[in-house]
Amino acid sequence: MHHEPDSKKDRPVRRTVLGTVAGVAAGYALGHLGSDSGGDGRVGDRGTGAGPHTRPTDGFVFERLSDPDRTVARAADGGTLATFTDDARTAVLAGPTRTFSEPRTTAATVTTRAWVRVMPYEWQRGAERRDWFARWFSRALGDTSPDVFAVAFQYSSAGAPDKYDSAGVRYRGTAHFGPRNQEVDNPLAFAYHDVQSDFYDYLGIPWAFPDGTRMRPEKARYGHVDCSGFQRLLWGYRMGIPLLHTNTDSGGTGLPRRAFAIAAHGPGRLLIPHTGERLTDLSTLQPGDLVFFAIIRERPKLIDHVGMYMGLDDRGHHRFYSSRSAANGPTMGDLAGRALLDGTGFYARGLRAARRL
């Protein structure tokens, strides 16, 4: 369940840089994100900066930071407004507080001021001086339309209303993981629902990829998306990042089909490469990052699951959102393994890599 910000309840109050919210130029009021490297829905400012420079026309300060290389936009009082990472189209902006929950599968909630959006171009150093960015940023600062998080929850396995486009295509609504796998009896098993359902299966429409490949949906998979299919539905079909038919980068730049291929060849910035070892340092992560797991015990080095990092939940744990068999679709819950990156749980032990699109 996604609780939309309440206009009165979430009306910001001006505070210092480490406060919860602050006034912002251009006539908009948005929450500040504290100078912090944690994953609690705040934009991390990890690394050493190269020194700020100011655009006097808008009153913002743009500061360069490293590890990973990125630009942080700050208000005049130093509060963080947004973070833009080199080579990535993902931007995390400060906005009104929201709470995400899924009572069917977990008592945990994620309350965040981070709004994850996709820019029209990959970020490069100095892009704050480009005309496209000035136009985009002025709109994005005050935008409370559904961001990546809100759109993701439009497919929640816990229940989401159906919406149809003008052609009669159901483009959002409750998604499931895949058809029932009759060879598996345990409903909590990873393969209880079958993999191989891609975004066009959920939509029930044929899809032509840039390399000329044309795929047709399987009728039995209508309304279904597996873990990587869900990320392609979210980031590709809904957010506009190019999609590939293949599992390599030979067909161009875009989101490949499988989790291991997205980790290795996907667009954006590879934050944490796959070395075969469990990841324990989560300090570089920010909301919206893709996180990758090796969850087949017999193949501990094979990445075969992908999710989206949400930030810290109300219990201080790093929580992610993904399409999973036990929940039969997109979930932030804890059926057949807690949806956490830290601790000793199934997915925490399988965490292997991270990428920022």
Side-chain angles (χ1 to χ4, degrees), residues 19 25 45 100 104 117 129 192 198 244 262 279 294 313-314:
D45 290 349
F100 296 91
R104 181 176 72 97
R117 300 203 178 275
R129 302 184 185 93
Y192 186 73
D198 204 355
L244 299 179
I262 297 174
L279 300 183
D313 64 21
D314 61 326

Side-chain angles (χ1 to χ4, degrees), residues 3-131:
H3 304 285
E4 293 288 351
D6 181 271
S7 59
K8 293 182 179 179
K9 178 181 177 181
D10 294 303
R11 183 174 296 150
V13 178
R14 188 169 185 84
R15 299 182 187 252
T16 63
V17 59
L18 294 180
T20 56
V21 284
V24 175
Y28 297 117
L30 295 172
H32 272 195
L33 301 183
S35 298
D36 173 275
S37 61
D40 59 352
R42 294 175 287 178
V43 178
D45 290 349
R46 183 172 181 265
T48 58
H53 57 273
T54 304
R55 292 182 64 186
T57 56
D58 57 23
F60 299 139
V61 173
F62 294 89
E63 183 178 1
R64 286 293 292 179
L65 300 172
S66 60
D67 194 22
D69 293 336
R70 64 201 187 280
T71 301
V72 173
R74 302 188 189 280
D77 65 0
T80 303
L81 302 178
T83 292
F84 314 100
T85 302
D86 290 9
D87 304 321
R89 288 179 60 185
T90 303
V92 179
L93 298 96
T97 299
R98 301 171 294 170
T99 295
F100 296 91
S101 64
E102 191 180 311
R104 181 176 72 97
T105 59
T106 181
T109 62
V110 174
T111 298
T112 180
R113 298 186 305 277
W115 291 63
V116 181
R117 300 203 178 275
V118 175
M119 297 179 289
Y121 303 100
E122 292 181 355
W123 184 264
Q124 298 297 334
R125 181 171 187 167
E128 66 272 17
R129 302 184 185 93
R130 303 293 295 273
D131 289 342

Side-chain angles (χ1 to χ4, degrees), residues 166-185:
S166 59
V169 175
R170 186 183 73 134
Y171 67 91
R172 55 172 282 193
T174 303
H176 297 298
F177 185 83
R180 172 76 169 84
N181 185 351
Q182 300 299 326
E183 297 181 359
V184 179
D185 296 326

Side-chain angles (χ1 to χ4, degrees), residues 177-178 187-194 305 323-329 347:
F177 185 83
L188 298 182
F190 179 74
Y192 186 73
H193 293 97
D194 192 27
H305 190 69
S323 185
R324 293 164 55 180
S325 176
N328 195 16
Y347 286 97

Side-chain angles (χ1 to χ4, degrees), residues 36-47 67-68 70 271-273 277-293 307-313 316-320 338-345 347-356:
D36 173 275
S37 61
D40 59 352
R42 294 175 287 178
V43 178
D45 290 349
R46 183 172 181 265
D67 194 22
R70 64 201 187 280
L271 294 177
I272 308 173
E277 302 297 325
R278 174 187 174 181
L279 300 183
T280 56
D281 182 1
L282 308 177
S283 60
T284 59
L285 295 182
Q286 72 178 19
D289 288 345
L290 295 189
V291 285
F292 301 90
F293 307 84
M308 179 176 64
Y309 179 57
M310 296 187 68
L312 288 187
D313 64 21
H317 294 295
H318 298 266
R319 189 163 289 272
F320 70 94
R338 295 182 179 180
L340 302 179
L341 305 183
D342 58 317
T344 60
Y347 286 97
R349 295 196 307 272
L351 182 61
R352 295 291 183 270
R355 178 176 288 277
R356 186 166 298 162

